[in-house]
Amino acid sequence: MVKVQKLTENNGWPQARDYDNITQEFMVTVIREYHTWLCTQAPMPDHAQETTLLNASWARGCQVTSMNLVQSPQLVKLMSVLHHFSPAKHPPFCMLQVTIQGSQVCSQLKTKLWPLVEAMYGFYSSQSKSTIKKNCTLAEELKEGMNFAFKHMAAQEDGWHGFLKAPLIQKIINMMWFANKHDDGVMFPDCFKPFPHPALALIKCCIDDVFELHLNCLCEFEEATKEFEVLPGICKKMYEVGHVHSGAAPLIKQSQPTVSMQIIADAIKEYQEGSTMDDVSE
């Protein structure tokens, strides 16, 4: 077990630049692990869940970097706060400071989501009472029966089509986790393929603020359609589209050995003619 080397003392919140290069390198790995697990497993963690993810991320960081650093309270604060910066997007690690904890994922997502919602659904920025009233009415219509989650929206339920296929959902997935080939969705396929239900529920929660309700809704939908594997198919497609958007190398599909109808017909004909094997005397 290696003790952390702190270069400077800081009486306020701990900062990454307070630590030596080895510790900073280690923390980059651990924070990215934590950020990924938080998004895909528990975007709205309670204290117990957060502690579990912190410990798991630390253990994974030790394994990946072959560094066995002591888990100090100061470094845990860095982990629980810096997770909301994706390593593919944030400024140099030494410039970052501690801010908040688990709920920051939702805040970051909302920051990216709101301009998209405004542009795609026709909201307007204005202080006039008439515009505010129109925006409120539109917002209620989108939230009615999760109208916003459908590709084709309508006033009545029988007009809704394309559940979870609203272009907005894929756009925010691309922006948040597949912005480039080094982003988390590409670098952590085991976590994002197929696209995880908690992250999908988080996206829906950013429009209608009830995370657990949306997660339960997805679970019920999956159970009701499990015979046809509808939700796994949708989530698999979300991952594949995001992967293409990132510009990463194409996903490699294993070729499956197949036997065409022509080969089968030829084999039957050969059997009937008694020529299933070459004549060994030739």
Side-chain angles (χ1 to χ4, degrees):
M1 189 72 70
V2 180
K3 190 174 181 180
V4 171
Q5 296 296 315
K6 196 169 184 181
L7 302 179
T8 60
E9 290 300 327
N10 187 349
N11 294 327
W13 285 99
Q15 301 179 23
R17 62 189 177 194
D18 295 339
Y19 299 92
D20 63 279
N21 291 338
I22 292 178
T23 303
Q24 291 189 28
E25 179 184 346
F26 176 82
M27 290 304 296
V28 166
T29 301
V30 173
I31 289 169
R32 188 164 195 182
E33 291 281 344
Y34 178 65
H35 177 269
T36 299
W37 288 2
L38 198 67
C39 290
T40 58
Q41 296 184 26
M44 298 288 191
D46 55 30
H47 179 70
Q49 290 174 318
E50 190 169 64
T51 300
T52 298
L53 293 179
L54 285 169
N55 291 337
S57 301
W58 195 277
R60 176 62 178 165
C62 291
Q63 179 184 5
V64 171
T65 64
S66 300
M67 302 177 191
N68 198 10
L69 294 186
V70 175
Q71 191 180 62
S72 69
Q74 290 81 8
L75 289 181
V76 168
K77 285 181 181 179
L78 279 174
M79 284 178 60
S80 65
V81 170
L82 294 179
H83 67 79
H84 65 280
F85 291 100
S86 169
K89 309 179 186 75
H90 67 53
F93 184 78
C94 62
M95 300 294 290
L96 297 175
Q97 298 185 31
V98 178
T99 49
I100 320 176
Q101 45 185 344
S103 60
Q104 189 66 30
V105 172
C106 188
S107 297
Q108 183 193 13
L109 191 56
K110 283 184 176 181
T111 300
K112 294 179 179 293
L113 187 63
W114 287 345
L116 286 176
V117 172
E118 182 177 357
M120 296 181 70
Y121 293 109
F123 287 93
Y124 293 94
S125 298
S126 173
Q127 296 300 316
S128 72
K129 291 183 178 180
S130 61
T131 301
I132 292 174
K133 184 178 180 180
K134 288 179 181 178
N135 286 343
C136 289
T137 301
L138 179 56
E140 290 303 317
E141 290 175 354
L142 288 174
K143 291 163 66 174
E144 177 66 29
M146 294 193 299
N147 214 343
F148 63 86
F150 290 85
K151 184 175 183 179
H152 301 288
M153 300 183 296
Q156 301 296 325
E157 186 173 337
D158 58 4
W160 298 342
H161 299 290
F163 184 52
L164 299 178
K165 295 181 180 179
L168 174 69
I169 295 177
Q170 187 66 57
K171 282 182 179 294
I172 193 59
I173 289 174
N174 294 348
M175 289 178 65
M176 186 74 176
W177 294 286
F178 294 91
N180 56 62
K181 62 184 178 181
H182 302 296
D183 213 345
D184 292 347
V186 179
M187 302 305 293
F188 295 89
D190 291 345
C191 295
F192 283 94
K193 183 182 179 181
F195 194 75
H197 298 175
L200 185 54
L202 182 65
I203 293 172
K204 296 167 68 183
C205 165
C206 287
I207 298 177
D208 189 0
D209 295 324
V210 194
F211 174 74
E212 290 298 332
L213 180 63
H214 288 297
L215 187 58
N216 291 338
C217 171
L218 290 174
C219 292
E220 291 171 2
F221 180 73
E222 181 176 35
E223 178 63 25
T225 60
K226 65 180 181 182
E227 179 182 354
F228 305 99
E229 298 185 341
V230 176
L231 187 56
I234 291 174
C235 291
K236 179 175 180 289
K237 184 67 174 178
M238 287 175 174
Y239 174 83
E240 291 173 348
V241 172
H243 193 279
V244 171
H245 178 269
S246 73
L251 296 168
I252 300 175
K253 292 185 178 180
Q254 272 191 323
S255 59
Q256 301 256 342
T258 57
V259 180
S260 68
M261 294 303 297
Q262 182 61 48
I263 293 176
I264 293 173
D266 290 344
I268 293 174
K269 183 178 179 181
E270 290 173 2
Y271 177 78
Q272 291 174 335
E273 294 175 351
S275 57
T276 57
M277 295 180 62
D278 289 337
D279 189 342
V280 295
S281 64
E282 293 181 358

